[in-house]
């Protein structure tokens, strides 16, 4: 028998729980790690919202109404009455969840309907749903690429793309951010690969800059390479009908694979997808681990996405409103003397350079009932701290101007503008 005494000696009581010596050692390590994060000024706290997601919100500890300028709720549809009602009806008809993965007993007719609608929206042959676009990005590269292949990725691509690429066995290369000369150099160096996949965000979320997709397509054609495009910060609102950066730049359906999300403009709940050739989607259903080993997307989430696609395909007024709000904010902020990164996108980073200034600026904005967040190293490079403002179609012109007025007042107070 295994003696009991050493086990008893290795634990201590913590409240109503027992903690082993190994767990106590882990806690010590984690406390040191957390202290280091706090000392570096990069500890992330979470403000608690006590209302639905909207352009106006309330937060815990305050009854004041605050204007929200930091959500991915680009079209303002997260709490749209028709979207909420679609979710309610789906609960009655389809239940809260499937308690299963897709290939066992987790595929309902609405899952297939949404996949078909996504494919039609993007002008592709087929689509496959995931629990999130993080999962979609985690599932594609390992499934598609082998050691005979090469993947060439923009150095500032989203963390989910970076992690997904790490899982695959292909030759892995990074090109300098939006640097077409460096991309072509790597395409030439990998000419012997069986397949080469160029990987880029269509819009980079920290800067609001748009990938030079026209040039990327030209290089892909020249070097017989495939293109993977992450459209999370474009689907639903970039381009006249919301088809994304391809439409925005007038390029047609030139990219081979598109991954995107249902968790931003398309209802804001959750979920992601891959859309592209039928053969690719068929293969992902057989090999993609996040798809095979994750529960099906809950019916209310599927129903909200179906309703959002109906709304934006029937009427593009929200897309036009968002574009107008973006232009108004960017133009007036520039006139006030601020420097904004990116262009022509509702992600509108106000560049402040110093981390301490960005944090103080965000605090002062909250005092004026404007909710924005400061970003600094390591989320963005040293010396490039900023307030990342995100516009929504739900914002009125008066609310946009209120935000600009608050920025101007704080900017003068802190010496950012004169």
């Amino acid at each position: 028998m295994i003696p009991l005494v050493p086990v008893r000696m290795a634990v201590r009581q913590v409240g109503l729980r027992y903690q082993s010596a190994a767990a106590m050692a882990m806690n010590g390590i984690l406390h040191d790690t957390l202290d280091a994060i706090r000392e570096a000024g990069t500890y992330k706290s979470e403000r608690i919202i006590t209302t639905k997601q909207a352009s106006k919100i309330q937060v815990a500890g305050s009854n004041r109404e605050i204007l929200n300028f930091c959500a991915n709720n680009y079209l303002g549809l997260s709490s749209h009455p028709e979207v909420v009602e679609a979710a309610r009806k789906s609960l009655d008809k389809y239940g809260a969840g499937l308690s299963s993965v897709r290939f066992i007993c987790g595929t309902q007719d609405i899952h297939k309907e949404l996949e078909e609608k996504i494919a039609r929206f993007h002008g592709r042959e087929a689509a496959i749903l995931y629990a999130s676009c993080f999962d979609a990005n985690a599932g594609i590269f390992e499934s598609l690429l082998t050691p005979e292949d090469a993947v060439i990725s923009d150095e500032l691509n989203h963390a989910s793309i970076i992690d997904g690429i790490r899982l695959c066995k292909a030759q892995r290369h990074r090109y300098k951010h939006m640097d077409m000369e460096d991309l072509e150099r790597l395409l030439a160096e990998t000419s012997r690969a069986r397949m080469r996949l160029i990987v880029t965000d269509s819009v980079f979320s920290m800067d609001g800059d748009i990938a030079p997709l026209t040039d990327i397509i030209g290089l892909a054609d020249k070097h017989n390479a495939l293109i993977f495009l992450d459209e999370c910060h474009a689907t639903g609102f970039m381009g006249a009908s919301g088809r994304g950066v391809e439409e925005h730049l007038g390029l047609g359906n030139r990219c081979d694979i598109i991954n995107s999300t249902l968790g931003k403009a398309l209802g804001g709940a959750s979920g992601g997808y891959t859309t592209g050739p039928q053969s690719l989607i068929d293969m992902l259903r057989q090999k993609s681990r996040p798809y095979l080993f994750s529960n099906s997307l809950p019916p209310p989430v599927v129903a909200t996405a179906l309703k959002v696609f109906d709304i934006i395909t029937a009427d593009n007024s929200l897309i036009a409103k968002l574009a107008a709000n973006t232009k108004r904010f960017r133009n007036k902020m520039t006139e006030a003397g601020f420097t904004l990164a990116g262009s022509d996108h509702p992600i509108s980073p106000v560049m402040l350079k110093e981390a301490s200034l960005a944090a103080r600026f965000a605090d002062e904005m909250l005092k004026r009932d404007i909710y924005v967040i400061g970003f600094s190293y390591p989320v963005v490079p040293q010396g490039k701290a900023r307030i990342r403002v995100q516009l929504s179609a739900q914002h009125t012109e008066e609310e946009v101007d209120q935000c600009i007025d608050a920025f101007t007042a704080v900017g003068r107070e802190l010496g950012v503008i004169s």
Side-chain angles (χ1 to χ4, degrees):
M1 290 180 62
I2 300 174
L4 296 177
V5 174
V7 176
R8 290 192 182 117
M9 293 176 61
V11 301
R12 70 181 180 89
Q13 192 169 10
V14 182
L16 297 177
R17 297 174 292 108
Y18 282 89
Q19 193 172 66
S20 68
M24 290 167 60
M26 178 191 71
N27 281 339
I29 293 169
L30 295 179
H31 284 309
D32 290 344
T33 301
L34 289 168
D35 287 343
I37 293 171
R38 290 187 184 96
E39 289 172 12
T42 56
Y43 189 88
K44 290 170 281 296
S45 299
E46 297 177 356
R47 290 196 179 104
I48 310 302
I49 297 174
T50 59
T51 59
K52 61 188 177 183
Q53 182 66 276
S55 62
K56 295 179 180 178
I57 59 172
Q58 290 182 347
V59 297
S62 173
N63 292 322
R64 302 201 321 268
E65 204 166 56
I66 297 169
L67 289 179
N68 185 2
F69 279 88
C70 59
N72 295 317
N73 189 20
Y74 293 112
L75 296 177
L77 294 174
S78 296
S79 303
H80 189 284
E82 292 182 34
V83 174
V84 173
E85 182 60 22
R88 285 199 186 103
K89 288 180 177 179
S90 75
L91 279 169
D92 290 336
K93 183 174 182 179
Y94 292 101
L98 274 300
S99 303
S100 174
V101 299
R102 286 285 298 271
F103 78 93
I104 297 179
C105 60
T107 298
Q108 293 173 318
D109 54 355
I110 54 172
H111 292 94
K112 300 305 292 184
E113 181 184 353
L114 179 55
E115 287 171 336
E116 290 166 5
K117 188 166 285 192
I118 288 168
R120 286 198 306 272
F121 182 79
H122 286 283
R124 264 65 184 188
E125 292 179 359
I128 181 174
L129 289 169
Y130 288 87
S132 68
C133 192
F134 202 112
D135 277 354
N137 286 343
I140 188 165
F141 303 109
E142 181 184 26
S143 303
L144 177 63
L145 303 174
T146 74
E148 298 177 72
D149 305 313
V151 57
I152 308 171
S153 178
D154 189 294
E155 65 180 353
L156 294 188
N157 278 335
H158 190 266
S160 60
I161 294 175
I162 294 170
D163 287 357
I165 289 173
R166 284 173 177 162
L167 294 172
C168 79
K169 294 181 172 62
Q171 306 161 42
R172 293 173 288 185
H173 304 271
R174 288 188 302 173
Y175 63 92
K176 296 175 184 176
H177 181 47
M178 300 202 304
D179 187 326
M180 296 299 95
E181 288 186 9
D182 200 36
L183 173 57
E184 183 157 33
R185 176 184 64 82
L186 291 169
L187 285 166
E189 288 181 5
T190 56
S191 60
R192 294 180 179 272
R194 183 188 65 161
M195 289 193 298
R196 285 168 295 170
L197 182 64
I198 302 169
V199 177
T200 184
D201 282 324
S202 66
V203 177
F204 294 87
S205 62
M206 283 298 110
D207 291 309
D209 49 357
I210 298 171
L213 198 53
T214 303
D215 296 333
I216 291 172
I217 290 170
L219 289 176
D221 289 345
K222 179 180 177 181
H223 293 273
N224 194 30
L226 298 163
I227 300 173
F228 168 97
L229 193 65
D230 184 311
E231 285 267 62
C232 284
H233 287 279
T235 300
F237 62 94
M238 291 295 286
S241 64
R243 262 70 177 183
V245 169
E246 285 179 319
E247 182 182 49
H248 176 70
L249 298 176
L251 298 172
N253 302 331
R254 292 298 308 277
C255 295
D256 302 284
I257 305 166
I258 288 177
N259 276 16
S260 196
T261 182
L262 305 174
K264 292 183 171 60
L266 302 180
S270 187
Y273 58 84
T274 297
T275 185
Q278 183 71 58
S279 57
L280 171 69
I281 304 308
D282 290 344
M283 184 274 295
L284 291 174
R285 293 194 196 280
Q286 303 304 312
K287 294 183 60 178
S288 180
R289 294 168 71 85
Y291 176 81
L292 289 167
F293 298 103
S294 295
N295 261 22
S296 304
L297 211 55
V301 174
V302 176
T304 61
L306 285 167
K307 175 54 67 174
V308 168
F309 277 114
D310 289 344
I311 291 171
I312 64 175
T313 53
D315 179 9
N316 68 352
S317 60
L318 290 174
I319 298 167
K321 178 69 184 309
L322 177 59
N325 282 349
T326 299
K327 184 177 180 180
R328 185 182 191 89
F329 180 82
R330 283 184 167 274
N331 287 347
K332 288 196 171 188
M333 285 289 286
T334 302
E335 290 170 6
F338 289 100
T339 299
L340 273 64
S343 63
D344 202 22
H345 193 277
I347 293 175
S348 302
V350 181
M351 305 304 293
L352 299 172
K353 297 183 181 180
E354 297 176 14
S356 58
L357 176 60
R360 184 180 174 191
F361 206 115
D363 290 341
E364 292 297 322
M365 291 290 286
L366 189 59
K367 292 176 184 177
R368 290 163 172 81
D369 296 332
I370 305 293
Y371 186 12
V372 290
I373 297 294
F375 288 88
S376 57
Y377 182 82
V379 178
V380 296
Q382 289 274 18
K384 292 190 176 182
R386 79 282 305 270
I387 301 285
R388 188 180 71 170
V389 176
Q390 290 174 275
L391 283 301
S392 170
Q394 198 172 26
H395 290 127
T396 65
E397 288 186 353
E398 291 75 19
E399 289 168 348
V400 174
D401 289 346
Q402 185 178 337
C403 181
I404 295 165
D405 290 344
F407 262 106
T408 302
V410 175
R412 287 173 179 157
E413 182 180 306
L414 298 182
V416 176
I417 58 174
S418 57

